[in-house]
Amino acid sequence: CALCRCYLRRFNKMVNVPKERRTYCAGVKCKKHQVHKVTQYKAGKASNFAQGKRRYDSKQMGFGGQTKPVFHKKAKTTRKIVLRLECKKCKTRKQLVLKRTKHFELGAKKEAAGHQY
């Protein structure tokens, strides 16, 4: 469909972000633009003692099979990229959400356009 093609064309680009970025630091010491170290955000390991996990486990116990719905209808082909910026001076961290993309690179060298010798 036309909508799907537009969606694919929009998010099919490769996103390349430098490993360092000069941006505003809201830390108590800085309060001005500083150099930040850029990394990609990654979710931590899920805790077994979080309330939702304890409730789910107790509901699953015993006979009766799967009690809660298991999600199968995955529609999205892209992910929102979240950058973690750490100030090099005061170590304050902040997160920055980018648009959706399939391919994401951190600090990759750009290939020179034109003829290569």
Side-chain angles (χ1 to χ4, degrees):
C1 65
L3 228 158
C4 299
R5 265 182 279 140
C6 177
Y7 178 85
L8 288 172
R9 202 176 317 120
R10 186 174 168 197
F11 301 121
N12 215 2
K13 295 186 181 86
M14 169 78 78
V15 175
N16 186 9
V17 177
K19 288 189 179 178
E20 282 189 349
R21 180 181 197 152
R22 192 173 158 78
T23 185
Y24 181 76
C25 175
V28 182
K29 294 177 187 172
C30 296
K31 297 261 187 227
K32 60 182 180 182
H33 276 66
Q34 298 285 8
V35 178
H36 285 68
K37 189 175 97 176
V38 180
T39 51
Q40 190 175 1
Y41 166 79
K42 184 174 177 282
K45 186 175 178 283
S47 169
N48 278 334
F49 301 106
Q51 179 59 59
K53 178 72 171 140
R54 286 179 292 166
R55 186 184 294 118
Y56 177 77
D57 288 343
S58 70
K59 196 171 183 183
Q60 284 290 91
M61 270 195 300
F63 300 109
Q66 182 68 33
T67 58
K68 299 202 52 96
V70 178
F71 185 72
H72 293 298
K73 295 183 178 179
K74 188 174 184 294
K76 302 266 189 293
T77 58
T78 58
R79 287 203 166 155
K80 286 183 179 178
I81 302 297
V82 180
L83 298 181
R84 188 168 149 222
L85 306 171
E86 183 180 311
C87 176
K88 288 208 162 183
K89 217 167 204 179
C90 69
K91 306 289 185 230
T92 303
R93 296 185 190 120
K94 69 176 180 179
Q95 291 182 335
L96 179 72
V97 182
L98 299 182
K99 290 182 179 177
R100 291 183 169 275
T101 182
K102 279 185 181 177
H103 307 290
F104 174 76
E105 281 184 349
L106 199 60
K109 297 273 188 256
K110 286 184 181 175
E111 288 182 25
H115 183 69
Q116 297 278 318
Y117 288 102

